[in-house]
């Protein structure tokens, strides 16, 4: 009897799904995302958990840190705009079996990118529907 060993998707696997989702976004979004850093991490750091008053590091799937598109002044020494996707909380949601991992990654990415663009939840849902 052969036993096949399987592993949870890695950080690189999540990044691959996220980059594929970015490629499906409207060109206007892609043009403005060139300078936005995409970071895939297992969990948010302690500062994020504290600042957002999270009960658990599993309480957040992604985070956008930066300024909305259209800011009129560049701040010297400012960190780059960054979208964080948190692998372990997304895997837990995926394990519930209601959504594909691709759908979850796309949903979280579009929501966080939406913050970069200052979009409403309705706008984000329309864009997500077109990216799936």
């Amino acid at each position: 009897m052969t036993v096949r060993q399987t592993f949870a998707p890695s950080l690189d696997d999540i990044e691959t799904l996220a980059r594929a989702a970015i490629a499906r976004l409207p060109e206007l979004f892609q043009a403005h995302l060139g300078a936005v850093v995409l970071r895939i991490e297992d969990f948010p750091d302690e500062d994020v958990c504290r600042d957002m008053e999270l009960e658990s590091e599993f309480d957040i799937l992604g985070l956008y840190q930066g300024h909305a598109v259209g800011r009129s002044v560049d701040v010297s020494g400012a960190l780059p705009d960054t979208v964080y996707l948190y692998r372990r909380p997304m895997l837990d949601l995926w394990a519930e079996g209601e959504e594909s991992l691709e759908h979850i990654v796309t949903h979280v990415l579009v929501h966080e990118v939406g913050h970069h663009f200052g979009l409403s939840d309705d706008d984000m849902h329309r864009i997500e529907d077109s990216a799936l």
Side-chain angles (χ1 to χ4, degrees):
M1 178 167 113
T2 303
V3 176
R4 188 173 140 204
Q5 191 171 15
T6 58
F7 299 96
S10 68
L11 295 169
D12 289 339
D13 295 331
I14 300 298
E15 182 172 353
T16 298
L17 291 173
R19 296 217 178 268
I22 289 170
R24 293 188 305 270
L25 291 174
E27 285 187 34
L28 175 64
F29 277 70
Q30 292 179 35
H32 286 287
L33 288 174
V36 176
V37 175
L38 176 63
R39 301 255 336 242
I40 314 299
E41 298 184 355
D42 276 323
F43 291 106
D45 64 27
E46 290 179 15
D47 291 338
V48 169
C49 290
R50 183 188 62 249
D51 293 347
M52 297 193 72
E53 300 177 357
L54 302 176
E55 289 183 25
S56 163
E57 57 195 0
F58 285 92
D59 290 345
I60 186 171
L61 301 171
L63 178 67
Y64 172 78
Q65 289 185 330
H67 303 285
V69 167
R71 65 180 176 216
S72 59
V73 178
D74 285 329
V75 179
S76 177
L79 295 173
D81 295 343
T82 305
V83 170
Y84 292 89
L85 300 179
Y86 300 119
R87 182 182 80 98
R88 289 287 310 279
M90 286 194 287
L91 292 180
D92 273 22
L93 181 60
W94 177 51
E96 293 176 9
E98 294 181 26
E99 304 284 347
S100 70
L101 186 57
E102 179 182 37
H103 178 86
I104 292 167
V105 170
T106 300
H107 171 79
V108 175
L109 178 73
V110 168
H111 185 82
E112 299 311 327
V113 168
H115 290 301
H116 178 62
F117 286 94
L119 299 176
S120 71
D121 284 339
D122 287 341
D123 291 334
M124 287 186 249
H125 288 296
R126 280 191 294 278
I127 292 164
E128 179 182 346
D129 289 344
S130 72
L132 285 172

